[in-house]
Amino acid sequence: MSLCTLIGTVVAKDETREELREILAGQVAPTRAEPGCVNYDLHVDANDRNVFVFYENWRSRADLDAHLKAPHLQPLFGRLEELLARPVEMRFLDMISEPA
């Protein structure tokens, strides 16, 4: 089975960094409980604390697409221009190795 991977990068404005961090951290538990979620991990860049990165693996692209419409993402998606310094970057990958 080939997993669907997403690497999402979210960059906060200086003044919204802590609020954005709280919003993003609040998405972890409900997302991990979604059907098809293999792993969902939130990181902050070691050199730029405004840059947050999600590393996600999903059972299928359909599961990932359903996740992107989940209601618990609205606190972020509903306020993108207010919170972010630039648009969300989403890089979709197909895993070719066996997951660990």
Side-chain angles (χ1 to χ4, degrees):
M1 171 202 290
S2 175
L3 297 180
C4 183
T5 301
L6 171 63
I7 298 174
T9 303
V10 181
V11 181
K13 296 177 180 177
D14 288 335
E15 65 273 15
T16 63
R17 175 189 318 119
E18 290 308 313
E19 182 180 8
L20 182 61
R21 181 185 179 112
E22 289 178 24
I23 290 169
L24 298 176
Q27 295 175 353
V28 174
T31 297
R32 287 179 175 171
E34 289 181 46
C37 180
V38 175
N39 69 290
Y40 186 81
D41 301 307
L42 173 61
H43 305 78
V44 65
D45 188 291
N47 297 312
D48 184 346
R49 305 312 268 182
N50 286 356
V51 177
F52 299 93
V53 177
F54 282 99
Y55 176 72
E56 316 172 23
N57 284 293
W58 295 86
R59 184 180 53 206
S60 70
R61 180 61 191 254
D63 290 320
L64 172 55
D65 289 344
H67 159 68
L68 292 172
K69 297 174 186 165
H72 59 265
L73 297 183
Q74 282 310 304
L76 171 63
F77 289 163
R79 299 177 58 204
L80 293 176
E81 289 185 26
E82 176 187 349
L83 296 169
L84 304 186
R86 63 180 195 229
V88 175
E89 294 176 28
M90 290 192 274
R91 185 171 191 165
F92 297 93
L93 306 166
D94 294 323
M95 185 178 287
I96 58 174
S97 67
E98 290 297 318

